[in-house]
């Protein structure tokens, strides 16, 4: 055990985590030259296309150092704020972390947030400045920032370049010498923390775990703490680039187990795994339950495919524990799920994965956050979607969630950032200069305001020089109303939204204009209205397509034409009463892109 090291790589987006992981695997010859390619641990198509890490990936490295063999378990983590739950799970399975900082960009918001997560878990931090061979590298400035942030010495900071492979040997030596070996008793009852799982259609569910005490052998009877279900270990092993079978996995190691479980509900990330013969009596404090920030409905395009979608959602939840969902019905869309996500990027990735990995075509409704409504009878109702909103006459007050946003940028963009945040009902609570060229601003902003396009706007207002991180603080009273969209006086519940009264009119007008562009014209006039209660706040009309009914009349009396036009008018009136308006999928997505 003294030769095992468990560590992960944490950093802001695009600071070079996956590239550094590639070099570590290449240098230690863990991955053969034939299998080596860029972002070797990112095995999803989506990760390659977008150039971001979505899932944490574990791999075991063998490294000889000072005439001894060391086993290094590396977990590469995502950098985007929407996937911070993945990072917290990786940290729970490690004793140390490489904190990567880009030499050209310095410390960013997500660097600080991930560092605090690591310190909460009592991890040994090894600071590394990456990309030192780039033209714009500011090594002395970035060193000063790191020393100020974590209070280390100058010589503790390693210099490296993931691309050209500079400093890789020093990093490996620091991992062995600075990160403590795992503590634990190999002879104690088995106690392993489940930090991930994946569904394989041939083998069932494959569970990834880190052993804190004891060991696990092939053929052992094992059980999960939360469900008390018992299984036999058909196969155990460690994680190389693929899965590598072993007879047993020892204390301190990271490994996998296959027990042939087929039902996704039986495995819970953060659970404790133990044996039946000699069980442990205390569970490992895993990670807190995930708190979704954004809610949206996901519905199958064909209502017959609902059961199939449910299966796919359960399998996807195995692989992405931060996804939460429950049943929901809608008049317009039938049966579906109300899903909780950690952010808009997370929602987009889930939708893409459903379509690619599980071949599901789905409709996603307008995303919104969770409000708390207090009724006049003293009831407290959690409102996750507009349909749950109680009647305004019975509502005493509504509270909305607030977040604390941390923005780091250059001083010349302070004005733009202030304007953007004030327009989003934000309040500046703290401003400080980290260095002469970097300023940190902290705002308290309603979560609703940053859900849609805040991040994109922030990037464009600061020419990409701002980094953004947020966490939830509390709920505060607010003037929230339910805005309905009506087509020919029929409510479309999938387009309803909960919105602040001050923003409702502008939002309603934009939405009506967008729907006017997207809805196909019919033989009758369509009225698109945005309404709060009975009060209409915006309206657009789609004019009817006119068939030329008088084309067959040539000459003759005018009354013949008039008779035909009157008949057409009557027909249109009747058509409008019974006519149905089909809403294309683009209309539901249009709400997300109102400002484009």
């Amino acid at each position: 055990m003294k030769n095992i090291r468990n560590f992960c790589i944490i950093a802001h987006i695009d600071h070079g985590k996956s590239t550094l992981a590639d070099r570590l695997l290449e240098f230690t010859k863990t991955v053969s030259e034939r299998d080596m390619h860029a972002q070797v641990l990112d095995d999803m198509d989506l990760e390659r296309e977008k150039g971001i890490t979505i899932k944490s990936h574990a791999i075991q490295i063998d490294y000889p150092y000072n005439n001894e063999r060391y086993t290094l378990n590396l977990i590469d983590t995502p950098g985007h704020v929407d996937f911070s739950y993945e990072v917290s799970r990786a940290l729970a399975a490690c004793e140390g972390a490489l904190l990567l900082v880009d030499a050209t960009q310095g410390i960013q918001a997500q660097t600080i947030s991930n560092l605090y997560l690591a310190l909460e878990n009592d991890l040994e931090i090894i600071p590394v400045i990456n990309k030192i061979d780039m033209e714009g590298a500011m090594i002395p400035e970035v060193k000063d920032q790191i020393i100020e942030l974590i209070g280390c010495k100058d010589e503790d900071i390693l210099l490296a370049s993931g691309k050209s492979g500079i400093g890789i040997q020093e990093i490996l030596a620091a991992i062995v010498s600075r990160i403590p070996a795992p503590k634990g008793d190999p002879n104690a009852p088995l106690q392993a923390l489940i930090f991930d799982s994946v569904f394989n259609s041939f083998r069932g569910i494959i569970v990834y775990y880190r052993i804190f005490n004891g060991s696990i052998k092939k053929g052992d009877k094992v059980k999960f703490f939360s469900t008390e279900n018992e299984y036999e270990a058909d196969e155990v092993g460690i994680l190389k680039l693929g899965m590598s079978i072993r007879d047993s996995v020892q204390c301190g190691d990271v490994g996998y187990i296959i027990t042939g479980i087929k039902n996704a509900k039986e495995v819970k990330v953060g659970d404790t795994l133990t044996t039946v013969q000699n069980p442990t009596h205390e569970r490992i404090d895993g990670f807190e339950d995930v708190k979704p920030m954004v809610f949206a409905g996901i519905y199958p395009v064909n209502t017959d495919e609902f059961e199939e979608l449910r299966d796919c959602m359960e399998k996807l939840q195995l692989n992405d524990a931060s996804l939460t969902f429950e049943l929901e019905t809608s008049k317009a869309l039938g049966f579906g799920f109300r899903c909780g996500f950690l952010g808009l990027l997370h929602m987009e990735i889930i939708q893409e994965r459903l379509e690619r990995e599980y071949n599901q075509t789905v409709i996603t409704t307008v995303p919104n956050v969770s409000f708390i409504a207090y009724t006049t009878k003293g009831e407290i109702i959690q409102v996750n979607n507009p349909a749950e909103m109680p009647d305004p006459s019975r509502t005493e007050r509504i509270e909305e969630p607030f977040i604390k946003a941390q923005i780091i940028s250059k001083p010349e963009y302070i004005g733009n950032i202030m304007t953007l945040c004030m327009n989003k009902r934000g309040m500046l609570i703290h401003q400080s200069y980290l260095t002469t060229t970097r300023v940190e601003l902290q705002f308290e902003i309603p979560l609703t305001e940053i859900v849609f396009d805040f991040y994109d706007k922030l990037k464009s207002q600061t020419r990409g020089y701002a980094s953004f991180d947020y966490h939830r603080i509390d709920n505060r009273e607010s003037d929230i109303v339910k805005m309905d969209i009506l087509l020919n006086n029929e409510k479309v519940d999938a387009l309803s939204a909960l919105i602040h009264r001050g923003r409702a009119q502008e939002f309603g007008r934009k939405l009506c204009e967008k729907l006017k562009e997207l809805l196909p014209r019919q033989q009758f006039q369509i009225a698109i209205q945005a309404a709060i209660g009975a009060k209409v706040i915006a309206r657009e009309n789609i004019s009817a397509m006119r068939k030329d009914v008088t084309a067959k009349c040539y000459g003759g009396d005018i009354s013949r034409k008039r008779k035909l036009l009157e008949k057409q008018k009557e027909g249109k009136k009747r058509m409008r009463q019974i006519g149905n308006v089909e809403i294309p999928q683009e209309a539901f997505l249009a709400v997300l892109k109102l400002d484009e």
Side-chain angles (χ1 to χ4, degrees), residues 60-295:
Q60 192 172 94
I61 300 171
D62 290 323
Y63 176 59
Y65 180 72
N66 285 354
N67 301 325
E68 284 193 61
R69 290 198 73 74
Y70 285 88
T71 301
L72 314 179
N73 290 310
L74 152 69
I75 302 180
D76 179 27
T77 65
H80 196 283
V81 61
D82 280 13
F83 305 114
S84 56
Y85 192 61
E86 286 286 326
V87 182
S88 70
R89 285 166 30 201
L91 294 170
C94 294
E95 275 85 29
L98 295 181
L99 179 72
L100 227 57
V101 182
D102 187 329
T104 59
Q105 295 182 0
I107 284 177
Q108 306 273 301
Q110 206 58 39
T111 318
I112 297 174
S113 139
N114 285 342
L115 170 70
Y116 287 155
L117 274 177
L119 291 173
E120 276 170 29
N121 284 316
D122 290 337
L123 299 199
E124 177 66 37
I125 308 288
I126 300 177
V128 179
I129 298 180
N130 196 20
K131 306 189 188 180
I132 57 165
D133 53 350
M134 284 181 72
E135 277 179 25
M138 315 172 291
I139 298 168
E141 292 93 322
V142 178
K143 269 192 171 178
D144 292 344
Q145 289 172 21
I146 293 176
I147 290 167
E148 197 173 321
L149 180 68
I150 56 178
C152 61
K153 298 189 183 74
D154 192 303
E155 57 270 20
D156 292 344
I157 301 172
L158 304 176
L159 303 179
S161 164
K163 200 164 193 176
S164 53
I166 302 168
I168 298 301
Q169 196 153 1
E170 288 79 3
I171 290 176
L172 286 163
I175 290 166
V176 172
S177 55
R178 292 200 217 167
I179 293 175
K183 297 181 180 69
D185 181 356
N187 303 317
L190 173 68
Q191 193 183 34
L193 173 72
I194 297 172
F195 67 89
D196 206 353
S197 54
V198 7
F199 186 81
N200 180 312
S201 42
F202 303 108
R203 316 288 310 269
I205 292 163
I206 302 168
V207 175
Y208 298 156
Y209 54 82
R210 149 80 203 273
I211 299 185
F212 282 90
N213 285 310
S215 62
I216 188 167
K217 294 192 296 297
K218 184 182 174 179
D220 274 354
K221 270 271 203 282
V222 295
K223 69 171 184 177
F224 295 119
F225 237 72
S226 61
T227 58
E228 294 277 318
N229 291 352
E230 299 179 5
Y231 308 95
E232 189 170 324
D234 299 337
E235 181 179 313
V236 296
I238 54 163
L239 299 159
K240 290 287 192 182
L241 191 55
M243 294 185 296
S244 178
I245 300 175
R246 294 282 186 275
D247 289 332
S248 66
V249 181
Q250 301 303 318
C251 183
D253 246 332
V254 172
Y256 73 90
I257 179 171
I258 299 175
T259 56
I261 306 171
K262 287 284 192 285
N263 184 354
K265 287 199 177 74
E266 293 176 29
V267 177
K268 188 170 181 283
V269 166
D271 198 5
T272 303
L273 181 70
T274 188
T275 50
V276 176
Q277 289 92 339
N278 185 11
T280 179
H281 296 296
E282 53 186 279
R283 62 184 310 148
I284 304 165
D285 284 336
F287 355 87
E288 70 245 30
D289 275 345
V290 60
K291 296 185 184 70
M293 295 283 194
V294 178
F295 294 86

Side-chain angles (χ1 to χ4, degrees), residues 298-310:
I298 287 186
Y299 294 84
V301 172
N302 299 331
T303 42
D304 315 347
E305 292 172 3
F306 170 71
E307 283 302 328
E308 201 180 319
L309 179 65
R310 186 206 295 261

Side-chain angles (χ1 to χ4, degrees), residues 87 131 151 155 193 218 227 304 326 334 359 388 391 426 442 468 474 572:
V87 182
K131 306 189 188 180
E155 57 270 20
L193 173 72
K218 184 182 174 179
T227 58
D304 315 347
E326 56 189 39
N359 220 356
E388 294 170 2
D391 191 285
Q442 288 184 0
F468 169 66
D474 54 10
K572 283 207 183 299

